[in-house]
Amino acid sequence: MVAMDALMVETLGQPIIKGRRPIPTPSEGEVLIKVTVVGLNPYEHRVRDWGLHVEGRLPVVLGNDIAGTITSLGPNTPSHLTPGTHVFGQTNYLKRSNDQSGLQEYALLDAYTVAPVPSNLSDDDGASLVCNFIAPFWAIFGADGLALPFPFEDEDKKPVEYAAQTIVVIGAGSNCGKYAVQICALAGFGRIVVTADAARNGDELRSYGATHVVDRHAADVARQIRGLVGDELVYAFDAVNLDHTLGLSLLSDSRKGTLACIVPKMAELGDVGEKREGYEDRFVQGQSHNQPELGAKVWKWLPVWMEEGKVKSTGWDVIEGLDVERVNKVLDDHRDGRQPPKQVHVHL
C-alpha cells in the first residue's frame, strides 16, 4: 500500500500532528488530485479546538480549500476533467472521509464541486476562493441563509433585480467578508454597506463594490449604519462574530429581517431593538454539497467569473510544505483572535 504524509487532528484541543496514511482511489464521480495548494481558514482551528463536525471521528485530516493536478478519475466524471488538468475545489465533509481533505499529498474531490483553474490564473487563485467564496454565497443565496435567488446568466426565467435593495456585510475585512462584497456586487445589489477597518480595507472593499464603508472601530457603528439604512434593512450577513447582537440590531423594527451568519452564536444577545415583526438569526454551513444543484451551478460559473475579473482573489501568504509547527501557529492565531492579514496557503 502506497502511503503519503498528512497533517491531522489526533486529540481535540491539542496541536495537529504529521502522520502517514494510504493514497486513496477515486470512486464514481470523484477525481484524485496531487495537491499543490491548501488554504487555511478559521474552520480548521474550530475542528482542531472545538471538534466541529468531528463527531467522534479521529484522527481527522484538515484542509477544505484545495487546488492541484488531476492524476486519475473515477467512473462517470465529466469529460472536461482529464489527468494533468489544474483544478480547485471543495471537499465533501458529508462523506466523513479523510480522503476528502487537503493537508496531505493526494486528495479526492467530487467532480461536480471541482473547476479548472483559469489559464490566466494560478492554483493559489483557485485555492483562495473555495470556502471563502462558498460560505458567503451559501449564506446569502443558499436555502438555509437569506435564501435569495441568484441571477445566473443562463437561467430562462427573468433574473431578480437587486438594484433597489440594500444589504449589510459585517466583518467585510475578513476573507469571507471580502468575497461577500464581491458576490453582492455580482448579484447587482444597489447598496452594499459594510463594516471593516476603514483605513486598512476601505479602498479595497470599494473596489469590490462596497458603496459605504463604516469603520468597525467607531464608537457608534450601529448609529452610523442605521443612518444609512433607516428602518428598512431586511438582509444582513455577518462573516466573523460569535455575538450576533450588532447584525440583529441593524434589522428593521417594523419589517421582518434576517441575519445570516457563518459563525455560530456563542454569546448572549444584547439589545437588538423592538423587532415588532420578529427576525431570523440563521447559522449557515457554507458547503457546496448541502445543495448539489446550486453547487453544480456555482462551480460551473465560478471559473468564468474569475477569468472575466468579476471575482478577484484577495491575496495570500505561503507556508512551504507540510510544516506542522507553522500550520499550528496559524491555527493558534485564528483561535486567539489574531487574524492573519491574508489567507495562508500551504504549498506542497
Side-chain angles (χ1 to χ4, degrees):
M1 181 180 295
V2 181
M4 61 179 172
D5 288 333
L7 299 187
M8 60 190 76
V9 178
E10 188 175 58
T11 304
L12 295 181
Q14 297 298 314
I16 62 173
I17 65 165
K18 180 182 282 188
R20 300 278 288 173
R21 60 184 313 273
I23 296 175
T25 299
S27 300
E28 183 168 353
E30 293 181 329
V31 299
L32 178 68
I33 69 167
K34 175 69 176 73
V35 179
T36 57
V37 182
V38 184
L40 300 179
N41 292 311
Y43 175 86
E44 274 76 48
H45 113 71
R46 293 168 194 152
V47 175
R48 184 193 71 171
D49 299 315
W50 301 356
L52 185 65
H53 300 315
V54 170
E55 299 168 354
R57 183 175 54 90
L58 290 173
V60 172
V61 180
L62 298 178
N64 291 310
D65 298 9
I66 305 177
T69 306
I70 294 177
T71 61
S72 60
L73 304 97
N76 299 321
T77 52
S79 59
H80 70 281
L81 298 176
T82 57
T85 302
H86 282 258
V87 296
F88 65 108
Q90 186 177 33
T91 61
N92 185 351
Y93 83 92
L94 297 174
K95 289 187 173 179
R96 302 291 193 267
S97 170
N98 281 330
D99 294 340
Q100 290 232 1
S101 296
L103 283 174
Q104 53 192 351
E105 295 176 79
Y106 292 85
L108 296 178
L109 292 173
D110 289 354
Y112 76 92
T113 59
V114 166
V117 176
S119 59
N120 60 333
L121 298 172
S122 69
D123 287 7
D124 279 295
D125 287 293
S128 71
L129 266 80
V130 183
C131 289
N132 288 322
F133 183 92
I134 295 297
F137 198 103
W138 257 236
I140 297 166
F141 297 103
D144 296 327
L146 300 182
L148 301 172
F150 187 85
F152 290 104
E153 296 176 26
D154 58 348
E155 291 189 337
D156 295 332
K157 58 187 177 183
K158 183 179 179 181
V160 179
E161 293 288 343
Y162 291 110
Q165 298 292 333
T166 296
I167 190 167
V168 169
V169 176
I170 299 168
S174 66
N175 287 312
C176 284
K178 291 175 182 178
Y179 286 116
V181 174
Q182 296 187 55
I183 291 164
C184 291
L186 191 63
F189 272 90
R191 188 159 56 164
I192 304 169
V193 180
V194 308
T195 70
D197 185 324
R200 180 177 173 181
N201 301 120
D203 289 343
E204 180 184 7
L205 292 169
R206 291 185 188 93
S207 75
Y208 295 150
T211 56
H212 301 80
V213 179
V214 176
D215 191 346
R216 68 179 180 87
H217 300 294
D220 60 345
V221 171
R223 184 192 65 80
Q224 288 190 49
I225 297 176
R226 275 283 186 165
L228 294 168
V229 304
D231 191 40
E232 300 299 315
L233 185 69
V234 292
Y235 305 131
F237 166 65
D238 190 330
V240 296
N241 289 303
L242 298 172
D243 183 349
H244 297 179
T245 301
L246 174 60
L248 293 173
S249 72
L250 300 174
L251 297 175
S252 173
D253 288 324
S254 59
R255 303 169 61 194
K256 185 176 181 179
T258 301
L259 172 69
C261 306
I262 55 175
V263 180
K265 182 176 65 178
M266 298 182 68
E268 185 175 345
L269 286 178
D271 182 10
V272 300
E274 295 182 62
K275 303 296 178 283
R276 295 184 295 276
E277 298 300 318
Y279 64 85
E280 291 194 56
D281 182 0
R282 295 185 174 181
F283 167 60
V284 181
Q285 296 180 1
Q287 235 295 337
S288 304
H289 308 84
N290 290 343
Q291 292 182 249
E293 184 177 348
L294 180 62
K297 268 195 168 295
V298 170
W299 283 99
K300 171 187 174 181
W301 279 99
L302 183 51
V304 176
W305 297 329
M306 292 167 64
E307 189 166 24
E308 293 177 347
K310 294 177 180 178
V311 173
K312 301 175 182 178
S313 57
T314 59
W316 53 83
D317 291 319
V318 172
I319 293 174
E320 294 292 347
L322 292 172
D323 188 326
V324 67
E325 291 185 5
R326 292 188 66 190
V327 172
N328 271 311
K329 175 62 167 59
V330 173
L331 304 192
D332 290 346
D333 286 344
H334 282 300
R335 178 197 64 198
D336 298 336
R338 299 186 301 269
Q339 302 301 326
K342 300 177 182 178
Q343 187 183 35
V344 178
H345 287 184
V346 177
H347 281 188
L348 281 74

